[in-house]
Amino acid sequence: MTAYWRGDLSARQLTDALAHRAGWDPRRHPAEQEILLARVVRDGRQAAYQAARQQEREAWRAAELAVDAARALSTEAYAAAQRTRAYPLPTSPRVVSGPQGAVARWRVARAG
């Protein structure tokens, strides 16, 4: 029970110990039971460490992908800004007369 309250055993492992399943045998010597308990705790901590390590790796990969995407978007935005500077917009609108009368229109910007 003490190992469970410390957080070293899960509820399922405690249930197994109390029900004498999964290798838990009350007829064993107390030293053997302590060794078994230490191994179970060690294995549980190792599994938790591996899971945390995998989550950290995935987080680093996601962060690196985000940095690469941000860098690509920044490069693309800079290139787009350079293209728009090559074709400046007119300062005054061109007036085109049509069937409805005089309508102000802007020139279509060329891309590429």
Side-chain angles (χ1 to χ4, degrees):
M1 289 297 291
T2 305
Y4 172 74
W5 290 114
R6 278 191 316 245
D8 292 336
L9 289 180
S10 67
R12 182 181 179 114
Q13 290 170 327
L14 177 64
T15 304
D16 287 344
L18 295 176
H20 312 299
R21 294 185 299 228
W24 297 100
D25 187 6
R27 293 174 290 183
R28 285 186 176 175
H29 191 273
E32 288 181 49
Q33 291 180 3
E34 285 295 321
I35 291 170
L36 180 63
L37 177 64
R39 287 180 182 159
V40 168
V41 170
R42 179 198 62 199
D43 293 343
R45 287 183 181 166
Q46 179 72 17
Y49 170 77
Q50 294 295 337
R53 191 172 108 186
Q54 183 63 28
Q55 287 176 347
E56 184 179 11
R57 279 185 183 169
E58 290 171 3
W60 274 107
R61 280 190 206 125
E64 288 171 356
L65 285 174
V67 167
D68 290 342
R71 194 172 292 133
L73 286 174
S74 176
T75 303
E76 188 176 335
Y78 180 76
Q82 292 299 328
R83 283 194 304 269
T84 55
R85 286 191 188 111
Y87 302 105
L89 291 175
T91 55
S92 63
R94 194 170 52 144
V95 177
V96 178
S97 51
Q100 293 107 8
V103 178
R105 293 190 183 179
W106 292 95
R107 281 191 194 161
V108 178
R110 294 184 198 172

